[in-house]
Amino acid sequence: MSIRSAQDTVETPVLVGRDAEIRRLEQWVDRLAAGDRAGAAGDPPRGPLGEDAHLLMVGDPGVGKSALAAHAAGRARAAGLTVVRLVGLRSECDLAFSVLHQLVDQLAGHLERLSPHQVEVLERALTRRHGERPDRLSVSDAVLDLMRRAARERPFVVLAEDIHWVDVPSAEVLTFLLRRLGDVGPRFLLAARTGRTSPIDTRDALRMNVPALESGAARALLDLRHPGLHEQVRRRVLTEARGNALALVEFPAHLTAGQREGSQELPVCLPFGPGLDDAFAEPVRQLDAAARTALLTVALAGEDVRDLACLRVAMAGAGEPWEEECLTRAADSGLIDLDPLADRLTFRHPLFRAAVLSTSPRGWHRAAHARLGVAEVGGPDRRAWHLAQAADHPDESLAGGLAAAAQRMLARGEGAQAAAALWRAAELSGEEAARARRLEGSALAAGRVRLMDTTQRALDRGVPSTPEGRTAAGYVMVHRDGDADGAFRALAPLLSDRVRASSVHEAMPSRLASGDAAVPEPTSREQSPREQSQQERTPLDEPFYLLLDAAAWTDRPALWARLHGWLGHVSPAARICFDAMNNPAAATRDVRLALDRHSASLRPDAPAPEIEGLVRASVALDCFSGHDGAWRTMLGAPFENSPAVLLARCYDAYQRGDWQSAWTSSQSGRLRAEERLDFHNAALFDCVAALVAAGRGDEEAMARSHDRIRAFAAPRQIDLLASAVPETLARAAAGRGDFDEAYIQAVACTAPGRLPLAAPYAQRAFLDLVEAAVRTGRTREARLHLEAGQAAGIDGISVRHRLLLGICSALLADDASADLLYREALGLPGAAQWAWEHARGQLWYGEWLRRRRANTAARPHLTAAAAAYDRLGAARWAGRAREELRLTGVAVSAAERGRTGAITPQELRIAELAAGGLSNKEIARRLNISSHTAAAHLYRVFPKLGVTSRAALRDALRDAGYAVPVPQAP
């Protein structure tokens, strides 16, 4: 007899970003299959419920539970198991035994093995025979016997989806089965929505949470299902989907072709497809008007109305009776969480909030905004916003109030909110001049937080005419387009005009002016000291910093000369930034003292341009971390939200040896920048990622970063940015011992004996060039480069630079002085904090001592270098250090070289396949994982085995006591 199932019609979907969940499901299925094979051979089929217990998947609607269940079903079929599939349906949840019908129908071929009484019980329960319905215990016993008999003939698993919709009588039977299926019988894979109470008691089942997709996986899924989306559309979909797989698939599918291509404006709310509508919108429509009105008020208020007390105040102004009990049904339906003790309400998922907004008429929106505005929920700035959103016609009073609120938002570091407020203020403006001015203010606020599409959208409404508008256009040119010449053409006249005007009148600030006027009209009223101070502190800084970026990253000294002519008309912070980035070695002591003095005199309301200038200067002088904590405490959100700060922390983490944090920050920072169309900063984050990958020998990851850097920098001649490619290629080549290649790449970055001025961070390739020159017999070129560094005085920049020059001097010194030079350099106070350079010096010193047969003295330095490289994850460099350590007489096994932890079973399997000759893509297909996941596992295996290439894997596995794989046939 057979088990009838709809399994052959279930398509196994492509899964993205679910490696962990897939692994757990496959392990669960494999244990079941192994247990059933043991039972067939006469052994005990399986022990008490443990790791092979029933499994419950829990996740939000549309998160991908069904796709995972389909994958598990495919795995089960491949393992020789049959799949019985049950689905709870909303339309049948009130029909008794509707789900039990599904189960019995698929096991109908085994009914003849039951006793006549049991068959009668089931037929009466399912209304297939007249008579009184039997009690639940009799039904449950009959079904249990049926399942056990069916499992003895052919093992199977039961896949039950949407168990929150299972009817109560069926749920009682299924609960009985879950508890009685012990040593014998199939197992259940259950799936339920987060926040929905299931009538099935699943307390004994293992729980597996299915979270939303991480940002990288969400992008991969969107690009797979909807390739070619316009970048702005792609960003909007990613933002609103919040990692929900169903939303990523359905949102673009229901846009018009023009909307997907970016030629038509997107709707206010992205359209729900049938799946999203059923999961998120339909539960909203089932609520009564009072509950929907309350939820709409919460949705429009955002974070301000999580407190139910605030909601009560807002609803009290509705003029209609409102009972708080109406929210109970919304909570029971899984839309919201109610916390009576904290008196708080939250949406269970952002898409429920989106569903509330999209299913509510426009008139309801205005009425809810009006209620929130009148109730003054969220403070005066939010009140101005709500009242402005409630208006349906131009109102200069509302526009002015909202524009003033935008200035306060900017002061709090809320650039995106300020941009939206000024946009709405422009829409409500009665005069065209005020409208244009506020649009340009919106563009500038968006530019400061690098929302390039918002900036461009505001600028598209007219030709920029104010300093704010022209500066906003500069943000687009530098950060989105990489157009240095265009930025100078647009902004240089602005600075030059203001410089000429300064002889008559103080230069006006480039920040948004107080109130909402971009350039206040002259009045007889004298300016307050505070207004005068603000104007003096940031006169020309914002356009100046944009041009500073254009000059620095294009590595064009002629542009620096023009910047020098404007130094007398920018703030002290901007002058400090210019000096630190242009030629820090020339006046390092003065620049550092000026930075420290300015930092000590900072005010808590320091404007964004001033913060950015100080951050850039501190990075160039290697002292960002020394100021980070104090600035964060004093400046708060404006500092934390600054794009310059995010980039500085990422780079500083790399410099100080926290490479894992640097890598994580570089990936999240790049994705965030790309979402905002800030391709300039995205490339800078990629530079940090390439540095980490080069040091670790991860050439695949380095190549991916290189491709993105080249794509942005090469066509635009952004030369200093493009030099990150040869710089990191040199680092990677040195790590694998290919010093000829390292030298070629290093000199492509910086010619021997040339340390260009006005090119910050050019010293990063210093060690690689000097070592590669020495190792390849180019001692003259190495000395030229060392002398250039000494002549430039780079040792005055920071301890790190003194360490650079010190260990390079020792590398090139004669035997009489090298020992002292190494010890002095490595013993500099604070030198060890620069983990990469210090480990390099320890390695060189240890090599030098070992070659002079001072093995005992060499071992501590080589051991320290190996340990430092292990912490960094630089397996190749750790291997170099351990090889030198072995030559001193210390026994180092292959398994110990660079070992950083035990090899996991998955890592071992991937290592075996790689040693057998399979590529990452072939391994991915074999194990049903992504090629990136395969590469990541290999990357972790290499240091654990002390190898740096696939070619060494077979020997390393053998030496470590693992099975040696047979090479795969070509």
Side-chain angles (χ1 to χ4, degrees):
M1 304 301 290
S2 64
I3 299 174
R4 293 189 293 108
S5 173
Q7 61 192 26
D8 294 334
T9 65
V10 178
E11 178 184 357
T12 301
V14 176
L15 288 164
V16 177
R18 292 298 184 196
D19 292 347
E21 291 83 359
I22 288 171
R23 184 164 55 251
R24 184 170 182 188
L25 285 173
E26 290 179 349
Q27 290 171 350
W28 182 77
V29 170
D30 292 347
R31 284 195 298 269
L32 299 187
D36 284 317
R37 284 193 293 270
D43 297 330
R46 60 170 70 93
L49 288 175
E51 288 191 345
D52 57 352
H54 310 293
L55 185 61
L56 171 65
M57 291 192 298
V58 180
D60 292 320
V63 78
K65 300 185 298 298
S66 294
L68 287 168
H71 179 84
R75 181 78 169 196
R77 291 194 295 272
L81 302 175
T82 298
V83 178
V84 172
R85 188 164 177 262
L86 310 177
V87 180
L89 300 173
R90 181 192 291 133
S91 59
E92 297 182 2
C93 64
D94 293 328
L95 300 178
F97 292 122
S98 62
V99 172
L100 188 62
H101 264 284
Q102 299 176 37
L103 178 60
V104 173
D105 283 348
Q106 293 178 67
L107 302 178
H110 300 275
L111 285 172
E112 62 187 26
R113 299 181 183 276
L114 299 181
S115 68
H117 172 70
Q118 289 176 317
V119 173
E120 180 182 355
V121 165
L122 290 178
E123 289 183 345
R124 283 164 50 201
L126 302 179
T127 66
R128 292 173 179 172
R129 178 182 296 192
H130 293 296
E132 185 180 352
R133 267 189 173 161
D135 61 87
R136 300 291 162 76
L137 180 59
S138 298
V139 175
S140 299
D141 276 331
V143 176
L144 177 63
D145 195 21
L146 176 63
M147 292 187 69
R148 284 176 170 168
R149 291 177 183 276
R152 290 192 189 103
E153 180 174 317
R154 184 173 182 183
F156 67 95
V157 296
V158 180
L159 169 57
E161 296 185 66
D162 289 340
I163 62 172
H164 46 279
W165 294 125
V166 172
D167 61 281
V168 172
S170 294
E172 292 175 348
V173 175
L174 293 176
T175 297
F176 181 89
L177 296 175
L178 291 176
R179 293 187 174 177
R180 296 301 191 277
L181 289 171
D183 295 346
V184 180
R187 293 288 183 257
F188 280 75
L189 174 60
L190 308 142
R193 291 182 183 176
T194 304
R196 295 305 303 265
T197 302
S198 170
I200 302 175
D201 187 346
T202 58
R203 73 184 71 181
D204 295 327
L206 297 173
R207 184 183 177 98
M208 185 181 90
N209 291 319
V210 183
L213 291 172
E214 294 182 352
S215 56
R219 288 173 179 80
L221 177 60
L222 181 61
D223 292 342
L224 177 68
R225 296 301 298 266
H226 299 286
L229 281 179
H230 186 274
E231 184 58 35
Q232 182 176 344
V233 179
R234 182 171 175 265
R235 187 175 74 85
R236 172 83 180 277
V237 170
L238 288 167
T239 299
E240 297 201 13
R242 302 284 188 96
N244 185 279
L246 182 60
L248 291 166
V249 171
E250 285 200 356
F251 275 155
H254 292 82
L255 297 173
T256 67
Q259 288 171 335
R260 288 193 294 271
E261 295 167 358
S263 59
Q264 295 178 4
E265 190 171 352
L266 292 175
V268 175
C269 295
L270 292 181
F272 281 18
L276 287 177
D277 191 83
D278 180 68
F280 293 99
E282 188 57 31
V284 174
R285 297 191 190 98
Q286 298 298 319
L287 300 175
D288 58 32
R292 293 181 64 183
T293 298
L295 293 184
L296 177 61
T297 303
V298 174
L300 292 174
E303 297 294 321
D304 300 321
V305 180
R306 285 190 171 184
D307 187 337
L308 281 172
C310 294
L311 177 59
R312 295 183 192 106
V313 171
M315 295 303 295
E320 298 177 3
W322 177 74
E323 296 294 335
E324 196 165 313
E325 287 71 19
C326 70
L327 297 175
T328 303
R329 185 177 177 188
D332 292 341
S333 299
L335 276 74
I336 59 174
D337 281 326
L338 286 174
D339 185 344
L341 294 178
D343 205 29
R344 292 174 71 81
L345 175 156
T346 54
F347 281 102
R348 185 170 287 280
H349 191 280
L351 286 172
F352 281 123
R353 178 181 181 274
V356 169
L357 294 172
S358 63
T359 58
S360 300
R362 184 59 191 161
W364 287 23
H365 282 245
R366 287 197 297 271
H369 277 299
R371 285 195 295 274
L372 290 165
V374 170
E376 299 189 14
V377 172
D381 293 346
R382 291 297 296 174
R383 178 179 186 273
W385 169 260
H386 289 306
L387 293 177
Q389 292 290 4
D392 57 359
H393 56 79
D395 186 320
E396 184 58 34
S397 175
L398 290 176
L402 187 56
Q407 306 309 311
R408 295 188 290 271
M409 295 175 190
L410 281 174
R412 295 193 298 268
E414 300 169 358
Q417 296 90 324
L422 285 164
W423 180 280
R424 180 58 178 160
E427 292 178 328
L428 294 176
S429 299
E431 298 180 359
E432 185 59 32
R435 176 180 172 277
R437 186 175 68 246
R438 287 162 180 159
L439 279 175
E440 293 185 9
S442 174
L444 181 57
R448 286 176 175 171
V449 291
R450 311 298 191 264
L451 289 170
M452 294 296 102
D453 56 339
T454 303
T455 303
Q456 186 62 63
R457 188 162 61 102
L459 293 174
D460 285 344
R461 299 300 180 98
V463 177
S465 58
T466 66
E468 285 74 19
R470 293 161 73 180
T471 302
Y475 274 113
V476 174
M477 293 174 190
V478 172
H479 286 273
R480 189 191 70 179
D481 302 337
D483 184 1
D485 292 328
F488 265 88
R489 285 194 299 270
L491 297 180
L494 172 62
L495 284 112
S496 298
D497 290 346
R498 297 278 293 279
V499 168
R500 285 192 294 269
S502 66
S503 60
V504 179
H505 186 69
E506 282 289 326
M508 300 302 296
S510 65
R511 65 176 180 83
L512 293 176
S514 174
D516 105 61
V519 181
E521 296 293 334
T523 67
S524 58
R525 181 183 65 85
E526 292 186 1
Q527 291 181 313
S528 70
R530 177 182 175 82
E531 290 172 329
Q532 291 175 348
S533 174
Q534 288 174 334
Q535 289 187 358
E536 290 167 0
R537 281 156 61 197
T538 57
L540 297 171
D541 288 6
E542 217 154 356
F544 183 83
Y545 288 134
L546 288 168
L547 296 184
L548 187 62
D549 268 338
W553 294 108
T554 53
D555 195 15
R556 290 159 66 180
L559 300 183
W560 285 90
R562 300 188 67 183
L563 287 166
H564 191 275
W566 294 316
L567 280 179
H569 303 276
V570 295
S571 72
R575 290 195 292 273
I576 292 169
C577 183
F578 177 89
D579 289 339
M581 295 182 67
N582 179 37
N583 187 10
T588 301
R589 176 177 171 79
D590 292 341
V591 175
R592 188 180 290 275
L593 287 174
L595 176 63
D596 291 342
R597 283 196 300 267
H598 197 92
S599 176
S601 64
L602 264 182
R603 295 166 56 99
D605 61 344
E610 183 176 7
I611 294 171
E612 189 155 330
L614 296 178
V615 168
R616 292 187 188 189
S618 66
V619 171
L621 297 176
D622 288 338
C623 61
F624 171 74
S625 60
H627 293 287
D628 186 14
W631 289 344
R632 181 171 59 245
T633 301
M634 173 175 288
L635 302 170
F639 178 76
E640 288 289 316
N641 297 338
S642 170
V645 172
L646 301 178
L647 191 57
R649 284 186 179 147
C650 180
Y651 181 69
D652 191 69
Y654 167 78
Q655 292 284 55
R656 296 182 183 277
D658 188 358
W659 283 12
Q660 189 55 47
S661 292
W663 174 261
T664 302
S665 299
S666 69
Q667 300 307 297
S668 60
R670 174 181 63 80
L671 294 173
R672 175 186 171 92
E674 286 180 348
E675 285 179 359
R676 298 179 174 217
L677 308 188
D678 179 8
F679 302 121
H680 174 81
N681 272 8
L684 294 181
F685 278 113
D686 257 321
C687 288
V688 180
L691 285 167
V692 175
R696 288 177 163 177
D698 188 349
E699 304 208 13
E700 291 183 17
M702 183 174 66
R704 290 194 295 271
S705 293
H706 286 172
D707 289 344
R708 290 189 291 263
I709 292 169
R710 288 192 188 102
F712 180 70
R716 298 165 176 83
Q717 298 182 318
I718 308 177
D719 296 338
L720 186 61
L721 187 55
S723 71
V725 174
E727 173 194 345
T728 48
L729 286 172
R731 182 75 45 83
R736 62 177 182 267
D738 187 353
F739 290 106
D740 282 315
E741 175 66 14
Y743 182 78
I744 292 170
Q745 296 296 341
V747 299
C749 179
T750 306
R754 176 181 178 266
L755 281 182
L757 301 179
Y761 321 124
Q763 300 88 356
R764 285 192 314 218
F766 198 94
L767 286 182
D768 298 305
L769 192 153
V770 171
E771 182 184 21
V774 170
R775 307 290 188 196
T776 57
R778 298 178 173 93
T779 307
R780 175 180 172 275
E781 287 81 355
R783 290 191 184 282
L784 282 174
H785 208 59
L786 173 61
E787 290 166 0
Q790 291 170 332
I794 67 172
D795 56 334
I797 296 175
S798 67
V799 172
R800 182 173 72 89
H801 286 79
R802 288 198 289 279
L803 176 63
L804 286 177
L805 288 187
I807 61 177
C808 286
S809 298
L811 183 68
L812 287 163
D814 56 34
D815 285 354
S817 51
D819 185 73
L820 178 60
L821 290 173
Y822 272 125
R823 285 189 282 112
E824 286 180 345
L826 294 172
L828 286 169
Q833 68 182 306
W834 309 102
W836 172 253
E837 290 85 357
H838 195 264
R840 198 85 167 262
Q842 293 273 31
L843 176 60
W844 290 358
Y845 189 25
E847 289 174 340
W848 184 85
L849 290 168
R850 196 269 305 166
R851 288 169 186 165
R852 282 148 190 83
R853 302 185 182 280
N855 291 337
T856 302
R859 288 167 191 154
H861 298 289
L862 294 173
T863 301
Y869 288 133
D870 282 343
R871 288 191 296 271
L872 294 171
R876 290 174 175 172
W877 293 89
R880 247 179 88 177
R882 285 192 168 83
E883 180 60 23
E884 288 290 329
L885 194 59
R886 186 184 66 80
L887 293 174
T888 68
V890 176
V892 181
S893 70
E896 291 171 340
R897 295 173 199 162
R899 180 178 289 275
T900 58
I903 296 177
T904 67
Q906 180 78 335
E907 289 170 349
L908 177 60
R909 180 63 178 142
I910 290 173
E912 289 172 344
L913 293 174
L918 296 187
S919 68
N920 287 348
K921 289 185 178 179
E922 291 168 331
I923 294 171
R925 284 195 295 270
R926 179 77 64 89
L927 300 181
N928 197 23
I929 59 178
S930 71
S931 59
H932 295 318
T933 299
H937 280 296
L938 275 180
Y939 162 73
R940 288 192 288 270
V941 167
F942 279 8
K944 293 179 180 182
L945 292 175
V947 300
T948 59
S949 68
R950 289 170 180 261
L953 272 176
R954 280 176 53 79
D955 291 339
L957 288 169
R958 182 190 293 111
D959 292 344
Y962 296 113
V964 179
V966 177
Q968 302 293 312

